[in-house]
Amino acid sequence: MQQTSKRSKPRLTRAQIFDMSFGFFGIQFGFALQTGNASRILQTFGADVEHLSLFWLVAPLSGMLIQPIIGYFSDKTWTRLGRRRPFFLGGALVAAAALALMPNASVLTLLIPPLLIGAGMLMIMDVAFNVSMEPFRALVADNLPKEQHGYGYAVQTFLIGAGAIIGSFLPYVLSEYLGVSKVAEQGHVPDNVIWSFYAGAIVLVLSLLWTVITTKEYSAEELRSFDEHADDEEQHAHSFGSIFKDFKNMPTAMKQLGLVQFFSWFALFSMWVFTTPAIAQHIYHLPASDTSSAAYADAGNLTGVLFGVYNLVATIFALILPKLYQAIGKKKTHMLALGVSGIGLISILFIQDPNLLYIPMIAVGIAWASILATPYSILSGVVPAKKMGLYMGLFNFFITLPQLVNGVLGTVLVKHVFQHQAVYCLTMAGVFMLLAAASTMTVKAD
C-alpha cells in the first residue's frame, strides 16, 4: 500500500488562537459566579456550613462521569458544525439556563424546597460546564502544531482569568457602585447576585457563539494528513470500552501529573467552598448561623472581590508563563507557583485586616495560572494525538477525585475537628498546595 505523505500543521496567528479560545471567557465568567456565590446561595436556602462540601460534590461527580465520555465522543464525532464545537455550544446553552434559574430557586418552591432546587441547578450547571470545558482543551491540540501548544494554553488561561475577573467582581460592583441591593429577606438571594447570574448567562452564550462562528476545525481527512496523526484504520479501531484500558495504560508522566493535580485540586476545592464562611467568621466575627445580615453580605461580596483579584493575577501571569517555560522549564515553573500559593493560603489564619487578604490571593492567582496551563501543556506532549480528547477527559479524573475526597472529609473535619471554624479549611488547603509543589518534581517530562 502506498503511504500518504505527511505534513505539519500550519501555525495559527495570535488572533486565530484568541478567537478559538474566546468561548472560555464566557465559561469562566459563569464558573466564577458559581464558585464565588454558590455556597452563599445554598446557605441562604438553609444549608449548614458543615454540609456545604456535600452539596459541592455534584461538581466533581459530574466531571468524573461526563468529561471522559465527552472526550471519547468528541474524538469520534464529525458533523457539519465540526468535531468539538457541537459539544461546547450545547453545554453552554444548558449552563446559561441553570445560571439564570439557580438564584431564583426561592420562587420555585410550590412542590420542592428551595435548597433542593438550588442544589439541582448547581448539578445541572456543573454537568453543562464540564460538557463545554473538555472539548476546548482538546481543540487547542487539534488545531495547533506542537510548538504552539504552550502558547495556546496560555491564551486560554488569559481568557479564563479575564472572564473570572468580571464574574467575580460583578456582584460587588452592582451593589457598591450601581445601587443594586445586596441584602434580601431571609431565604431569598439578593438582587445583585441575581442580576450577576443573568449577565453570566448572556455572556456565556455570546462568547461561545463567537468561537463557533470564527473558528474552523480540521476534517478527519485533514487531521490524518498531518504527521502527528495515525492512519484511518488505527484512528477508528477503538471502542467505547477501550476507555478503561486507556486509563490503565496511560503514560507514566500522566500518572505523575495526576498526583500533582490531586493535591492542588484538593486545595482549590477547600478554598472555593469555605472562603465565604471563613471570612464571615474569622474576619467579621459572625456566628456560623448568620447568613442574612449586612455583614454576611459584605463577606460574600469580599469573597467575590478576592476571587477576582486572584483571577486578575492569573490573567497577567498567564502571559509570562511561556517565557518562564523557556527560562526554567515547565516543572520548576509549576512547582514555584504552587509553593507560593501554599504559603499564601496558610497565612490567612494569621490575618485579621480584610485589606491584607489580597496578598494571599495574589499568591493563589500565580498558582491558578499555572494550574490551568502547565499540566495540559506537559500532557499534550506525552499522549497520542489521535486520543487527545479522550486523554484530556481522563485527566479530569485527577481533578474530580480529590474534590470528591475533600467533599466527604470536609463535612467531618469542619464539624468535629475544626469546630465549625471554616478558616482551618483554608489552612489545610495551603498544606495541600505545598504537597502539590513537592510532588511536581517527580514528573518525568518537561
Side-chain angles (χ1 to χ4, degrees):
M1 175 186 282
Q2 184 178 0
Q3 295 292 323
T4 303
S5 61
K6 301 291 185 178
R7 58 192 176 93
S8 298
K9 288 179 187 173
R11 293 174 63 90
L12 299 188
T13 66
R14 293 184 177 183
Q16 288 172 318
I17 296 174
F18 181 91
D19 291 342
M20 179 176 64
S21 294
F22 186 67
F24 242 131
F25 173 87
I27 292 174
Q28 197 63 29
F29 190 112
F31 189 65
L33 286 168
Q34 178 198 31
T35 55
N37 297 279
S39 289
R40 175 184 185 178
I41 292 172
L42 292 171
Q43 282 191 289
T44 298
F45 291 154
D48 297 323
V49 64
E50 66 264 22
H51 294 146
L52 285 177
S53 61
L54 294 178
F55 288 103
W56 277 77
L57 285 179
V58 296
L61 277 173
S62 64
M64 182 176 290
L65 296 173
I66 294 298
Q67 289 216 16
I69 295 173
I70 295 299
Y72 173 85
F73 282 108
S74 71
D75 280 343
K76 306 294 182 181
T77 298
W78 305 96
T79 70
R80 294 180 63 183
L81 188 59
R83 186 186 192 189
R84 314 292 184 185
R85 288 181 292 177
F87 292 94
F88 55 67
L89 180 59
L93 294 175
V94 176
L99 277 168
L101 290 173
M102 184 179 181
N104 292 296
S106 59
V107 302
L108 304 173
T109 58
L110 291 178
L111 298 175
I112 304 175
L115 182 58
L116 293 182
I117 297 174
M121 289 300 104
L122 180 62
M123 179 185 68
I124 294 171
M125 200 185 309
D126 277 312
V127 170
F129 279 140
N130 277 294
V131 171
S132 292
M133 285 182 182
E134 195 285 329
F136 258 110
R137 298 292 189 192
L139 186 63
V140 168
D142 286 346
N143 281 13
L144 296 179
K146 287 185 178 181
E147 63 269 20
Q148 284 191 303
H149 284 184
Y151 180 78
Y153 288 118
V155 170
Q156 278 196 352
T157 302
F158 172 83
L159 289 167
I160 286 170
I165 291 165
I166 300 174
S168 298
F169 277 113
L170 190 56
Y172 178 83
V173 171
L174 289 178
S175 65
E176 302 302 322
Y177 294 98
L178 299 179
V180 181
S181 178
K182 65 182 179 182
V183 295
E185 297 179 9
Q186 183 76 29
H188 289 75
V189 176
D191 287 345
N192 68 320
V193 177
I194 293 175
W195 285 103
S196 296
F197 273 59
Y198 290 162
I202 294 171
V203 171
L204 176 60
V205 172
L206 292 179
S207 65
L208 264 294
L209 285 174
W210 179 271
T211 289
V212 168
I213 293 170
T214 61
T215 300
K216 172 186 177 295
E217 290 190 72
Y218 291 115
S219 68
E221 291 74 19
E222 288 174 316
L223 283 175
R224 287 193 295 273
S225 72
F226 297 126
D227 56 12
E228 63 206 68
H229 283 266
D231 293 332
D232 185 58
E233 292 81 8
E234 186 180 356
Q235 174 80 11
H236 292 86
H238 301 278
S239 66
F240 181 73
S242 67
I243 290 178
F244 302 101
K245 181 179 179 181
D246 287 324
F247 184 83
K248 180 181 178 181
N249 297 327
M250 70 178 67
T252 299
M254 184 173 171
K255 296 177 183 177
Q256 294 163 340
L257 279 170
L259 182 62
V260 180
Q261 293 287 84
F262 182 93
F263 289 136
S264 55
W265 283 89
F266 189 102
L268 289 170
F269 187 83
S270 288
M271 184 187 73
W272 290 332
V273 173
F274 293 108
T275 296
T276 293
I279 290 175
Q281 297 166 5
H282 186 63
I283 303 296
Y284 290 89
H285 307 292
L286 299 178
S289 59
D290 186 345
T291 60
S292 60
S293 68
Y296 181 81
D298 289 336
N301 287 342
L302 179 57
T303 296
V305 173
L306 292 173
F307 284 10
V309 167
Y310 88 67
N311 280 290
L312 174 61
V313 173
T315 303
I316 298 170
F317 196 72
L319 301 177
I320 305 172
L321 281 174
K323 295 186 182 298
L324 287 175
Y325 294 161
Q326 293 178 354
I328 63 174
K330 295 174 183 177
K331 287 195 303 182
K332 289 183 180 179
T333 297
H334 201 45
M335 179 189 69
L336 291 174
L338 295 173
V340 167
S341 176
I343 295 171
L345 285 168
I346 292 172
S347 73
I348 294 175
L349 182 63
F350 307 99
I351 292 175
Q352 286 295 308
D353 184 348
N355 293 319
L356 294 179
L357 291 174
Y358 295 102
I359 297 174
M361 286 300 108
I362 291 172
V364 170
I366 292 172
W368 183 231
S370 191
I371 288 169
L372 291 174
T374 309
Y376 297 97
S377 182
I378 295 173
L379 183 66
S380 65
V382 299
V383 302
K386 65 181 181 297
K387 297 182 182 179
M388 189 62 67
L390 172 60
Y391 272 115
M392 287 293 180
L394 290 175
F395 193 54
N396 192 62
F397 176 83
F398 300 114
I399 295 174
T400 57
L401 178 62
Q403 295 179 69
L404 289 172
V405 174
N406 190 325
V408 174
L409 290 179
T411 298
V412 177
L413 290 173
V414 172
K415 184 175 183 179
H416 298 290
V417 179
F418 301 151
Q419 299 299 308
H420 303 279
Q421 296 301 305
V423 69
Y424 294 114
C425 293
L426 302 187
T427 306
M428 178 178 64
V431 172
F432 272 80
M433 277 294 189
L434 294 179
L435 291 173
S439 61
T440 300
M441 296 314 297
T442 66
V443 180
K444 302 300 183 184
D446 206 334

